[in-house]
Amino acid sequence: MKQIPTILENTKVIEIVSQYLDLTVTPFGQSPRTVVRVDTREHMYNGNGVVYLLQMFDVEELVNNRIGAYMVFLNKDDQAGFHTHGTRNEQELYIVMQGEGEYSDRAGVTGIVRTKKIKKGSITAVQGIGFHSVKNTTDEPLIVFVITTNQPKK
């Protein structure tokens, strides 16, 4: 379910993340800028709590790319539940920028779940029949940079 955030809530999330990261984007040939918008996802993919997506690029600004955003889990146990990108022919990369959590994946709906501890510098990737989920396991914010690429059309 998508929740409509308040301007105050968006400002607070950006302020918290700015304590850990520089939120500046410098697109080629353009002036530096910051967050384009904040998307708030309550119970994202049937997960727990609230996940914030700090969108760093406008829609269709990136070539063969749907998302270039920071995914922010402010509280312990905030989670993006299991989901797939295979139906959209996408690959999704997670790069942990701050905090610690758990990353889980599985092949298909009924596959065996693998769970791995993630921390600053961890990178994960999923595509095809893969499903994945991520969860904050500490009281510190978990901040993950997400890159979702589209498979080129043949």
Side-chain angles (χ1 to χ4, degrees):
M1 172 199 283
K2 190 172 181 179
Q3 173 187 342
I4 299 174
T6 65
I7 293 172
L8 183 61
E9 180 182 16
N10 288 350
T11 302
K12 183 70 175 166
V13 172
I14 291 170
E15 194 176 283
I16 290 168
V17 174
S18 293
Q19 293 174 26
Y20 301 96
L21 302 172
D22 175 9
L23 293 175
T24 304
V25 174
T26 308
F28 179 74
Q30 300 177 32
S31 298
R33 63 163 196 251
T34 189
V35 178
V36 173
R37 72 177 189 280
V38 178
D39 296 335
T40 302
R41 304 280 172 83
E42 191 173 329
H43 305 293
M44 186 173 183
Y45 300 114
N46 295 313
N48 298 317
V50 178
V51 177
Y52 299 93
L53 294 169
L54 279 58
Q55 301 289 349
M56 304 306 290
F57 299 92
D58 282 318
V59 176
E60 297 188 18
E61 182 177 353
L62 301 172
V63 177
N64 285 329
N65 190 315
R66 187 172 63 85
I67 295 175
Y70 289 104
M71 186 164 51
V72 180
F73 305 81
L74 291 179
N75 303 301
K76 184 175 184 177
D77 295 325
D78 283 349
Q79 173 191 35
F82 274 105
H83 61 285
T84 185
H85 295 271
T87 55
R88 294 188 205 135
N89 292 321
E90 296 175 334
Q91 180 176 34
E92 188 163 76
L93 306 172
Y94 288 169
I95 302 117
V96 179
M97 307 300 293
Q98 166 63 36
E100 295 181 5
E102 285 181 351
Y103 175 83
S104 299
D105 65 14
R106 69 176 185 235
V109 176
T110 60
I112 296 171
V113 175
R114 298 184 316 162
T115 300
K116 177 188 184 320
K117 181 178 177 178
I118 54 174
K119 60 184 180 180
K120 186 175 182 176
S122 297
I123 300 173
T124 66
V126 69
Q127 65 187 41
I129 64 167
F131 281 70
H132 65 160
S133 172
V134 67
K135 176 180 174 181
N136 185 357
T137 58
T138 72
D139 292 323
E140 291 292 316
L142 173 61
I143 305 168
V144 178
F145 194 73
V146 181
I147 302 168
T148 305
T149 60
N150 298 309
Q151 184 176 7
K153 293 178 179 155
K154 295 178 182 183

